[in-house]
């Protein structure tokens, strides 16, 4: 056994001595690194994973009671959250919670709605039931507020109105006071504050938002915004400004492409300013129009003409005034008997039909009300812009203004168009930089560059490694002496012997004709 171990030791020693000094250092460093990594992994894996005992925030008194209980049982623990939370190893968490609950710890955890389902309400007075109901409502509301992002803890105090059998003009309403503990470095925005008010108001009956007071842990009042659109007004303003900037940029880009092609890319600069109307209008029009617009008359659907004529003595059609059953007292009546009378009645009824039009019109909220375009042109070197060029540029600008404002259905005069454009020749102090959109995103370009650098680094590392290995091999290989030439001495035979003659002939044949000599040898070997 010892001999075998000694043999293994010699083999290992021999292998180790074959490596160079540099290779020995590299192998030793690698082995040391692996041993240290393995030790750290074992140490980290052996450490227990801690888990919070309770998800809710406890008071310092409750944390102290739990700490004493854990120390008496020799259970490791960690206090977190500035003394408001406690953690134990994950494998022991469930057993610790059950044991503490059996002893009534924590006792200040509060009352939840489970008390009404787990216990019987028999024997509980109305006042006690109201207290339990109020406490359960406060605890459930506190849990809801603590789930809001940015709120670490919350305290809720609710005052409920007393129920009355009498109906009053101003019924009592509930009130609520809330203190939220905001996480350090976090600031609640107006939307989150409004959400807190709505959560409290919708959770408690007869609780309007004006009866709610919410403050943070520093006694700063968190007020409810009167106008709910205040929070979104800034976003709406940013959207409108973005649309306005895109319209101006589009006009400037089109003019620059047109004028820059003619005058030169570095010879023109364009600036456009627009005034836009973002009002959105919904309008319903109920129009009535005559089919015959010349005479302003509708189509005749039906017509009726009635004519009555009476002439002679006696009472005319319709009776004599003042003699009927509905006579007015002391009203003088007239007698028309024996008198000549005439009566004529004409009745002409014509029913016409007209066009009834209902229009639901929704006006576009993006309308350009006014525009102003300023163009700077650099004159040629040592010269000035001629009038014809200036007029051509102005005409291009007039056409752009006319088309842009065509939605207003107002025909602009030449003077009005010239008042909205401006062309001035001026020598530029710098060159125009035009933003060109790239088909590749910056993230893709950066990623491609990083990959290319990594590839170059890998290639350089491989080349360096190969050269280093080649140098090591050259160092390990000893310098070999060149082979020394040696001469084969000639055999000395007796001159009179027949073998001497044959050998001389064979040697002569091998020197002069080696191919034939090889064939002759093969033939002799095959015969033998």
């Amino acid at each position: 056994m010892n001999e075998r171990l000694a043999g293994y030791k010699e083999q290992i020693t021999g292998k180790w001595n074959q490596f160079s000094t540099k290779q020995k250092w590299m192998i030793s460093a690698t082995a040391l690194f692996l041993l240290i990594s393995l030790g750290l992994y074992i140490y980290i894996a052996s450490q227990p994973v801690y888990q919070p005992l309770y998800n809710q925030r406890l008071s310092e008194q409750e944390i102290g009671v739990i700490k004493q209980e854990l120390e008496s049982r020799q259970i490791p623990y960690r206090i977190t959250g500035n003394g408001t939370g406690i953690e134990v190893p994950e494998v022991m968490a469930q057993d610790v919670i059950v044991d503490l609950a059996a002893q009534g710890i924590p006792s200040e955890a509060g009352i939840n709605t489970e008390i009404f389902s787990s216990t019987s309400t028999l024997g509980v007075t109305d006042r006690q039931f109201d207290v339990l109901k109020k406490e359960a409502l406060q605890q459930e509301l506190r849990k809801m507020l603590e789930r809001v992002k940015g709120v670490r803890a919350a305290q809720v105090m609710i005052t409920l109105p007393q129920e009355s059998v009498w109906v009053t003009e101003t019924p009592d309403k509930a009130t609520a006071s809330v203190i939220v503990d905001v996480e350090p470095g976090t600031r609640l925005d107006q939307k989150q504050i409004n959400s807190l008010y709505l959560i409290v108001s919708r959770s408690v009956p007869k609780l309007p938002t004006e009866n709610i007071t919410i403050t943070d842990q520093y006694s700063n009042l968190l007020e409810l915004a009167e106008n709910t659109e205040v929070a979104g007004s800034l976003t709406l303003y940013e959207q409108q400004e973005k649309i306005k900037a895109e319209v101006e940029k589009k006009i400037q880009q089109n003019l620059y492409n047109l004028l820059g092609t003619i005058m030169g890319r570095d010879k023109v600069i364009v600036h456009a300013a627009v005034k836009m109307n973002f009002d959105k209008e919904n309008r319903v029009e109920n129009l009535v129009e005559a089919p015959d617009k010349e005479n302003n008359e509708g189509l005749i659907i039906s017509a009726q003409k009635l004519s009555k004529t009476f002439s002679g003595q006696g009472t005319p059609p319709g009776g004599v005034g003042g003699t009927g059953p509905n006579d007015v007292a002391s009203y003088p009546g007239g007698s028309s008997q024996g008198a000549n009378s005439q009566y004529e009645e004409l009745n002409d009824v014509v029913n016409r039909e007209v066009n009834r039009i209902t229009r639901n019109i929704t006006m576009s909220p993006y309308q350009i009300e006014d525009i102003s375009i300023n163009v700077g042109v650099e004159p040629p070197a040592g010269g000035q812009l001629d009038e014809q060029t200036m007029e051509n540029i102005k005409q291009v600008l007039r056409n752009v203004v006319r088309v842009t404002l065509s939605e207003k259905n107002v025909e602009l005069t030449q003077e009005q168009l010239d008042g909205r454009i401006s062309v001035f020749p001026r020598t530029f102090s710098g060159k125009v930089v035009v933003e060109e959109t790239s088909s590749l995103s910056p993230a893709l370009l950066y990623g491609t560059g990083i990959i290319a650098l990594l590839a170059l680094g890998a290639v350089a590392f491989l080349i360096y490694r190969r050269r280093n290995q080649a140098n090591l091999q050259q160092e390990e290989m000893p310098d070999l002496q060149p082979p020394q030439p040696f001469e084969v001495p000639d055999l000395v035979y007796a001159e009179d012997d027949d073998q001497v003659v044959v050998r001389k002939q064979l040697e002569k044949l091998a020197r002069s004709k080696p191919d034939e000599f090889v064939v002759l040898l093969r033939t002799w070997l095959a015969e033998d």
Side-chain angles (χ1 to χ4, degrees), residues 12-305:
I12 294 173
T13 305
K15 292 290 184 181
W16 177 258
N17 293 330
Q18 291 179 1
F19 296 109
S20 63
T21 305
K22 189 172 183 180
Q23 289 177 339
K24 291 179 180 179
W25 278 105
M26 291 181 63
I27 294 173
S28 301
T30 304
L32 181 62
F33 175 75
L34 293 176
L35 288 176
I36 294 174
S37 300
L38 182 60
L40 290 176
Y41 174 76
I42 295 173
Y43 174 76
I44 295 173
S46 62
Q47 296 297 319
V49 179
Y50 284 85
Q51 176 183 350
L53 274 180
Y54 305 98
N55 295 328
Q56 60 188 11
R57 185 171 178 261
L58 302 178
S59 62
E60 288 79 2
Q61 293 80 5
E62 290 292 328
I63 294 295
V65 174
I66 297 174
K67 176 175 174 292
Q68 293 179 359
E69 186 66 24
L70 295 178
E71 288 178 350
S72 64
R73 300 187 181 187
Q74 297 181 355
I75 298 176
Y77 63 88
R78 292 191 310 189
I79 297 177
T80 60
N82 296 328
T84 60
I86 190 167
E87 297 179 350
V88 297
E90 186 177 5
V91 295
M92 307 171 62
Q94 299 296 331
D95 296 336
V96 172
I97 292 175
V98 173
D99 295 341
L100 293 177
Q103 299 181 11
I105 302 174
S107 60
E108 298 181 2
I111 302 173
N112 53 24
T113 56
E114 296 179 357
I115 189 174
F116 300 105
S117 59
S118 60
T119 61
S120 175
T121 57
L122 295 177
V124 179
T125 62
D126 294 341
R127 188 175 297 275
Q128 292 175 344
F129 183 81
D130 293 339
V131 172
L132 293 176
K133 177 182 177 182
K134 176 183 174 182
E135 180 66 18
L137 182 60
Q138 291 178 166
Q139 294 300 328
E140 294 297 329
L141 187 57
R142 177 183 62 81
K143 294 179 181 178
M144 292 177 61
L145 295 178
E146 290 178 352
R147 295 180 65 87
V148 177
K149 184 178 181 180
V151 178
R152 183 169 56 181
Q155 294 181 358
V156 182
M157 179 62 68
I158 300 175
T159 302
L160 298 175
Q162 295 182 356
E163 297 182 359
S164 176
V165 296
W166 307 102
V167 179
T168 59
E169 295 181 357
T170 57
D172 295 336
K173 297 180 180 179
T175 59
S177 299
V178 180
I179 299 178
V180 294
D181 189 0
V182 183
E183 294 180 356
T186 303
R187 182 178 180 182
L188 300 179
D189 56 17
Q190 192 59 46
K191 287 184 178 180
Q192 291 176 313
I193 296 174
N194 294 345
S195 300
L196 296 179
Y197 276 90
L198 292 177
I199 290 173
V200 178
S201 178
R202 300 296 189 271
S203 301
V204 181
K206 299 180 182 180
L207 180 58
T209 54
E210 57 268 14
N211 289 1
I212 303 174
T213 302
I214 301 179
T215 61
D216 59 6
Q217 68 268 34
Y218 307 108
S219 300
N220 296 324
L221 182 63
L222 305 179
E223 297 181 349
L224 176 66
E226 295 294 336
N227 187 7
T228 56
E229 296 181 357
V230 173
S233 60
L234 182 60
T235 304
L236 180 61
Y237 170 77
E238 293 175 351
Q239 292 178 356
Q240 294 177 357
E241 286 297 315
K242 183 178 180 180
I243 294 173
K244 180 174 176 292
E246 289 179 355
V247 172
E248 293 175 347
K249 182 179 179 181
K250 192 67 175 179
I251 296 174
Q252 292 174 177
Q253 187 68 31
N254 292 336
L255 286 175
Y256 179 79
N257 293 336
L258 176 60
L259 300 178
T261 305
I262 301 174
M263 306 297 298
R265 291 287 179 176
D266 297 335
K267 304 294 183 180
V268 179
I269 183 171
V270 182
H271 177 266
V274 298
K275 178 182 178 183
M276 301 189 67
N277 184 7
F278 294 95
D279 296 337
K280 186 176 181 180
E281 179 182 356
N282 294 327
R283 185 174 68 250
V284 179
E285 295 181 352
N286 295 321
L287 305 179
V288 178
E289 295 181 356
D292 187 1
K293 296 183 179 180
E294 295 181 358
N295 299 326
N296 198 18
E297 293 182 353
L299 299 176
I300 299 176
I301 298 177
S302 61
Q304 182 180 11
K305 292 184 179 181

Side-chain angles (χ1 to χ4, degrees), residues 6 77 245 250 338 454-455 462 469 493 514:
Y77 63 88
K250 192 67 175 179
L454 292 176
L462 292 176
Q469 291 179 354
Y493 301 100

